[in-house]
Coordinates of all heavy atoms in Angstrom, one line a residue:
L233 N 19.1 1.2 56.3 CA 20.4 1.5 56.9 C 20.5 1.0 58.3 O 21.5 0.4 58.7 CB 20.8 3.0 56.7 CG 21.0 3.5 55.4 CD1 21.4 5.0 55.5 CD2 22.0 2.7 54.5
V234 N 19.4 1.2 59.0 CA 19.4 0.8 60.4 C 19.3 -0.8 60.5 O 20.0 -1.4 61.3 CB 18.2 1.3 61.1 CG1 18.0 0.7 62.5 CG2 18.2 2.9 61.2
A235 N 18.5 -1.4 59.5 CA 18.4 -2.8 59.6 C 19.7 -3.5 59.1 O 20.0 -4.6 59.7 CB 17.3 -3.2 58.6
L236 N 20.6 -2.9 58.4 CA 21.8 -3.4 58.0 C 22.7 -3.7 59.0 O 23.5 -4.6 59.0 CB 22.6 -2.5 57.0 CG 22.1 -2.4 55.5 CD1 22.9 -1.4 54.7 CD2 22.2 -3.8 54.9
E237 N 22.5 -3.0 60.1 CA 23.4 -3.0 61.4 C 23.2 -4.4 62.0 O 24.0 -4.8 62.8 CB 23.2 -1.9 62.3 CG 23.6 -0.6 61.7 CD 23.4 0.6 62.6 OE1 23.4 0.3 63.9 OE2 23.3 1.7 62.2
T238 N 22.1 -5.1 61.7 CA 21.9 -6.4 62.3 C 22.5 -7.5 61.5 O 22.5 -8.7 62.0 CB 20.3 -6.6 62.5 OG1 19.8 -6.7 61.1 CG2 19.7 -5.4 63.2
L239 N 23.0 -7.3 60.4 CA 23.6 -8.3 59.6 C 24.9 -8.8 60.1 O 25.7 -7.9 60.6 CB 23.8 -7.9 58.1 CG 22.5 -7.6 57.3 CD1 22.9 -7.1 55.9 CD2 21.7 -8.9 57.2
T240 N 25.1 -10.1 60.1 CA 26.4 -10.6 60.7 C 27.2 -11.3 59.6 O 28.5 -11.4 59.7 CB 26.1 -11.6 61.8 OG1 25.3 -12.7 61.2 CG2 25.4 -11.0 62.9
D241 N 26.6 -11.7 58.5 CA 27.3 -12.4 57.4 C 27.8 -11.5 56.3 O 27.4 -11.5 55.2 CB 26.3 -13.4 56.7 CG 27.1 -14.3 55.8 OD1 28.3 -14.4 55.8 OD2 26.4 -15.0 55.0
V242 N 28.7 -10.6 56.7 CA 29.3 -9.6 55.8 C 30.9 -9.7 56.0 O 31.3 -10.0 57.1 CB 28.8 -8.2 56.0 CG1 27.3 -8.1 55.6 CG2 29.1 -7.6 57.4
N243 N 31.6 -9.4 55.0 CA 33.1 -9.4 55.1 C 33.6 -8.1 55.5 O 32.9 -7.0 55.6 CB 33.7 -9.8 53.7 CG 33.4 -9.0 52.6 OD1 33.4 -7.8 52.7 ND2 33.1 -9.6 51.5
E244 N 34.9 -8.0 55.8 CA 35.5 -6.8 56.4 C 35.5 -5.7 55.5 O 35.6 -4.6 55.9 CB 36.9 -7.2 56.9 CG 37.0 -8.2 58.1 CD 38.3 -8.6 58.5 OE1 39.3 -8.1 57.8 OE2 38.6 -9.3 59.5
S245 N 35.5 -6.0 54.2 CA 35.6 -4.8 53.2 C 34.2 -4.3 52.8 O 34.1 -3.5 51.9 CB 36.4 -5.3 52.0 OG 35.7 -6.4 51.3
F246 N 33.2 -4.7 53.5 CA 31.8 -4.4 53.2 C 31.7 -2.8 53.1 O 32.0 -2.1 54.0 CB 30.9 -4.9 54.2 CG 29.4 -4.7 53.8 CD1 28.8 -5.2 52.7 CD2 28.6 -4.0 54.7 CE1 27.5 -5.0 52.4 CE2 27.3 -3.8 54.4 CZ 26.7 -4.4 53.3
T247 N 31.2 -2.4 51.9 CA 30.9 -0.9 51.7 C 29.5 -0.8 51.1 O 29.0 -1.7 50.4 CB 31.9 -0.2 50.8 OG1 31.9 -0.9 49.5 CG2 33.3 -0.3 51.4
V248 N 28.8 0.3 51.3 CA 27.5 0.6 50.8 C 27.4 1.9 50.0 O 27.9 2.9 50.4 CB 26.5 0.6 52.0 CG1 25.1 0.9 51.4 CG2 26.6 -0.6 52.8
D249 N 26.8 1.9 48.8 CA 26.5 3.1 48.0 C 24.9 3.3 48.1 O 24.2 2.4 47.8 CB 26.9 2.9 46.6 CG 28.4 2.9 46.5 OD1 29.0 4.0 46.6 OD2 29.0 1.9 46.1
V250 N 24.6 4.5 48.6 CA 23.1 4.8 48.6 C 22.9 5.9 47.5 O 23.6 6.9 47.5 CB 22.7 5.3 49.9 CG1 21.2 5.8 49.9 CG2 22.9 4.4 51.0
V251 N 22.0 5.6 46.6 CA 21.7 6.6 45.6 C 20.3 7.1 45.7 O 19.3 6.3 45.9 CB 21.8 5.9 44.2 CG1 21.3 6.9 43.1 CG2 23.2 5.5 43.9
M252 N 20.1 8.4 45.8 CA 18.8 9.1 45.9 C 18.7 10.2 45.0 O 19.8 10.7 44.5 CB 18.6 9.6 47.4 CG 18.8 8.6 48.5 SD 18.6 9.2 50.2 CE 16.8 9.4 50.2
G253 N 17.6 10.7 44.7 CA 17.3 11.8 43.9 C 17.7 13.2 44.6 O 17.7 13.3 45.9
P254 N 18.0 14.2 43.9 CA 18.5 15.5 44.6 C 17.2 16.2 45.3 O 17.4 17.0 46.1 CB 18.9 16.3 43.5 CG 18.3 15.8 42.2 CD 18.2 14.3 42.4
T255 N 15.9 15.8 44.9 CA 14.8 16.3 45.5 C 14.2 15.4 46.6 O 13.1 15.7 47.2 CB 13.7 16.7 44.5 OG1 13.3 15.5 43.9 CG2 14.3 17.6 43.4
A256 N 14.9 14.3 47.0 CA 14.3 13.4 47.9 C 14.2 14.1 49.3 O 15.0 14.8 49.8 CB 15.3 12.2 48.1
P257 N 12.9 14.0 49.9 CA 12.6 14.8 51.0 C 13.4 14.3 52.3 O 13.5 15.1 53.3 CB 11.2 14.6 51.3 CG 10.8 13.3 50.5 CD 11.8 13.3 49.4
H258 N 13.9 13.1 52.4 CA 14.6 12.6 53.5 C 16.1 12.5 53.3 O 16.8 11.8 54.0 CB 13.9 11.3 53.9 CG 12.5 11.4 54.3 ND1 12.0 12.0 55.3 CD2 11.5 10.9 53.5 CE1 10.6 12.0 55.3 NE2 10.3 11.3 54.2
L259 N 16.6 13.2 52.3 CA 18.0 13.0 51.9 C 18.9 13.3 53.2 O 19.9 12.6 53.4 CB 18.4 13.9 50.8 CG 19.8 14.0 50.3 CD1 20.3 12.6 49.9 CD2 20.0 15.0 49.2
E260 N 18.6 14.5 53.8 CA 19.5 14.8 54.9 C 19.5 13.9 56.1 O 20.5 13.5 56.7 CB 19.1 16.2 55.5 CG 20.0 16.8 56.5 CD 19.6 18.2 57.0 OE1 18.8 18.8 56.3 OE2 20.1 18.6 58.1
A261 N 18.3 13.3 56.4 CA 18.2 12.3 57.4 C 19.0 11.0 57.1 O 19.6 10.4 57.9 CB 16.7 11.9 57.6
V262 N 18.9 10.6 55.8 CA 19.7 9.4 55.4 C 21.2 9.7 55.5 O 21.9 8.8 56.0 CB 19.3 9.1 53.9 CG1 20.3 8.1 53.3 CG2 17.9 8.6 53.8
Q263 N 21.6 10.9 55.1 CA 23.0 11.2 55.3 C 23.5 11.2 56.7 O 24.6 10.7 57.0 CB 23.3 12.6 54.7 CG 23.1 12.7 53.1 CD 23.1 14.1 52.6 OE1 22.7 15.1 53.2 NE2 23.6 14.2 51.4
Q264 N 22.7 11.7 57.6 CA 23.1 11.7 59.0 C 23.1 10.2 59.6 O 24.0 9.9 60.3 CB 22.0 12.5 59.8 CG 22.1 14.0 59.6 CD 21.0 14.8 60.4 OE1 20.2 14.2 61.0 NE2 21.1 16.1 60.2
T265 N 22.2 9.3 59.2 CA 22.2 8.0 59.7 C 23.3 7.2 59.0 O 24.1 6.5 59.7 CB 20.9 7.2 59.2 OG1 19.7 7.9 59.8 CG2 20.9 5.8 59.6
A266 N 23.6 7.5 57.8 CA 24.9 6.9 57.1 C 26.1 7.2 57.9 O 27.1 6.4 57.9 CB 24.9 7.3 55.7
S267 N 26.3 8.4 58.3 CA 27.5 8.9 59.0 C 27.7 8.2 60.3 O 28.8 8.1 60.8 CB 27.4 10.4 59.2 OG 26.5 10.8 60.2
K268 N 26.7 7.7 60.9 CA 26.9 6.9 62.2 C 26.9 5.5 62.1 O 27.0 4.7 63.0 CB 25.6 7.3 63.0 CG 25.4 8.8 63.3 CD 24.1 9.1 64.0 CE 23.8 10.6 64.1 NZ 22.5 10.9 64.8
S269 N 26.8 4.9 60.9 CA 26.8 3.5 60.6 C 28.2 2.9 60.8 O 29.1 3.5 60.6 CB 26.3 3.2 59.2 OG 26.4 1.8 58.9
P270 N 28.1 1.6 61.3 CA 29.4 1.0 61.4 C 30.0 0.6 60.1 O 31.2 0.2 60.0 CB 29.1 -0.3 62.2 CG 27.6 -0.6 62.0 CD 27.0 0.8 61.8
W271 N 29.2 0.6 59.0 CA 29.7 0.3 57.7 C 30.1 1.6 57.0 O 29.7 2.6 57.3 CB 28.6 -0.4 56.9 CG 27.9 -1.5 57.5 CD1 26.6 -1.5 57.9 CD2 28.5 -2.7 58.1 NE1 26.3 -2.7 58.5 CE2 27.4 -3.5 58.6 CE3 29.8 -3.2 58.1 CZ2 27.6 -4.7 59.2 CZ3 30.0 -4.4 58.6 CH2 28.9 -5.2 59.2
R272 N 30.9 1.4 56.0 CA 31.4 2.5 55.1 C 30.2 2.8 54.1 O 30.0 2.0 53.1 CB 32.7 2.2 54.4 CG 33.9 2.1 55.3 CD 35.2 2.0 54.5 NE 35.3 0.6 53.9 CZ 35.7 -0.4 54.4 NH1 36.2 -0.4 55.7 NH2 35.8 -1.6 53.9

Side-chain angles (χ1 to χ4, degrees):
L233 292 184
V234 173
L236 279 179
E237 297 183 18
T238 66
L239 295 178
T240 57
D241 188 17
V242 294
N243 58 42
E244 295 180 356
S245 61
F246 183 61
T247 60
V248 182
D249 290 290
V250 176
V251 175
M252 305 180 74
T255 63
H258 303 289
L259 177 58
E260 185 176 346
V262 169
Q263 291 171 329
Q264 291 178 355
T265 299
S267 68
K268 302 172 185 176
S269 173
W271 313 119
R272 291 186 292 274

